[in-house]
C-alpha cells in the first residue's frame, strides 16, 4: 500500500474543476439507533465539481473518523474525478457503503475503491471509459493515458488487476454487474489493512488508549450492550 503523501499528491494531479450531488448529514442518535454519526452521500452522475466538493471536505472527513461513512449511489463516465474522490476517501481513512437499494457503476467503482473499509449490499457495475473520454485523453497525451492512470490507481489502492481487466473489456455502452464472487476476487469486499490499522491507531490516540487497550475495549463491544456507544 502506498503512503498517504503519494495518495494526496496523485489526487492533486488528477483534480479538475466542475458540480455534483454531494450532501453531508449529521444523523441523530434516534436516527441511527445507536450513536450520532455523519454521512457523506454521493448521488447521481459523478463530475469534476463533485471531486472539488469532496477535496474541500478532506479535513472534515479525516477529523470525524470513524464516525463518518460515505454512501455511494452514483454512476459516471469520467474516471478522473472518481479517482480524485477515491484518493480523498483513502487518505481520510473513510468507510464506504453501497446500500441495498443503491447502485455504484461506471466510474463510481473507482470512488468505491478508495474506501479503507467497504461494505457492499447493493449493485456494483463496471465498464470502460467512454469514446469521448478516450478522445480527450488522446488529444491531451495519448490514447493509453486513462488505462495507465487506472492501473496506477489500482496499484495504489491494492485492488486486484482483475478489476482493471473487467472494466476494460466491457463497452461503455453497457454495464456488467459484479457477483459476490466477483467482488471478493477483485478485492472490493476486502478492507485495506493499512487503512484500518491507521484508523485504529487514530481512534486509540483520541481516547488516550494504547493499541492493546483499544483492542481489548473494541473486542468487548456488542451492539445493544450498556456503554456500547462509548466504544466507537
Amino acid at each position: 500500500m502506498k503512503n498517504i503523501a503519494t495518495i494526496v499528491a496523485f489526487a492533486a494531479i488528477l483534480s479538475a474543476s466542475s458540480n455534483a450531488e454531494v450532501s453531508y448529514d449529521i444523523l441523530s442518535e434516534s436516527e441511527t439507533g445507536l450513536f450520532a454519526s455523519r454521512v457523506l452521500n454521493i448521488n447521481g452522475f459523478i463530475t469534476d465539481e463533485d471531486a472539488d466538493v469532496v477535496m474541500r471536505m478532506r479535513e472534515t472527513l479525516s477529523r470525524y473518523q470513524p464516525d463518518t461513512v460515505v454512501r455511494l449511489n452514483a454512476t459516471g463516465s469520467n474516471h478522473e474525478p472518481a479517482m480524485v474522490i477515491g484518493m480523498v476517501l483513502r487518505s481520510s481513512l473513510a468507510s464506504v457503503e453501497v446500500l441495498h437499494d443503491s447502485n455504484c457503476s461506471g466510474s463510481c467503482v473507482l470512488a468505491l475503491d478508495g474506501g479503507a473499509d467497504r461494505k457492499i449490499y447493493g449493485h456494483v457495475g463496471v465498464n470502460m471509459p467512454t469514446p469521448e473520454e478516450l478522445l480527450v485523453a488522446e488529444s491531451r497525451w495519448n490514447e493509453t493515458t486513462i488505462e495507465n492512470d487506472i492501473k496506477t490507481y489500482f496499484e495504489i489502492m491494492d485492488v486486484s488487476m482483475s478489476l482493471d481487466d473487467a472494466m476494460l473489456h466491457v463497452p461503455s455502452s453497457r454495464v456488467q454487474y459484479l457477483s459476490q464472487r466477483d467482488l471478493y476476487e477483485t478485492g472490493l469486499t476486502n478492507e485495506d489493512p493499512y487503512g484500518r490499522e491507521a484508523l485504529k491507531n487514530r481512534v486509540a490516540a483520541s481516547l488516550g488508549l494504547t493499541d492493546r487497550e483499544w483492542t481489548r475495549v473494541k473486542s468487548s463491544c456488542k451492539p445493544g450492550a450498556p456503554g456500547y456507544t462509548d466504544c466507537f
Side-chain angles (χ1 to χ4, degrees), residues 71-223:
R71 289 177 178 163
L72 297 174
N73 183 23
T75 185
S77 60
N78 191 338
H79 289 63
E80 287 190 4
M83 286 191 283
V84 171
I85 291 172
M87 290 292 184
V88 173
L89 300 185
R90 181 60 62 87
S91 68
S92 304
L93 304 178
S95 295
V96 180
E97 294 179 346
V98 179
L99 298 181
H100 292 284
D101 58 350
S102 297
N103 171 68
C104 178
S105 61
S107 63
C108 176
V109 175
L110 297 168
L112 174 63
D113 291 339
D117 179 38
R118 296 179 287 266
K119 294 180 173 62
I120 302 173
Y121 309 106
H123 304 289
V124 175
V126 298
N127 57 16
M128 68 187 303
T130 63
E132 292 79 10
E133 189 179 4
L134 291 172
L135 187 61
V136 170
E138 183 177 6
S139 65
R140 278 203 240 157
W141 302 290
N142 63 70
E143 59 186 7
T144 62
T145 297
I146 290 179
E147 293 183 17
N148 290 338
D149 281 349
I150 292 174
K151 281 186 168 72
T152 300
Y153 179 78
F154 284 158
E155 289 175 0
I156 292 173
M157 295 300 171
D158 282 344
V159 174
S160 170
M161 284 300 163
S162 62
L163 181 59
D164 178 67
D165 292 337
M167 289 181 66
L168 297 178
H169 284 85
V170 180
S172 58
S173 58
R174 69 182 185 88
V175 175
Q176 177 179 315
Y177 286 97
L178 304 180
S179 66
Q180 286 298 316
R181 180 174 179 175
D182 293 332
L183 293 171
Y184 174 78
E185 290 180 347
T186 56
L188 281 174
T189 55
N190 301 333
E191 65 181 15
D192 171 50
Y194 170 85
R196 297 312 297 170
E197 186 67 20
L199 182 57
K200 183 191 78 171
N201 294 341
R202 180 186 296 177
V203 173
S206 70
L207 297 173
L209 301 174
T210 64
D211 288 350
R212 180 174 296 180
E213 289 170 336
W214 167 245
T215 299
R216 187 170 63 250
V217 170
K218 186 84 184 290
S219 64
S220 67
C221 293
K222 291 183 172 48

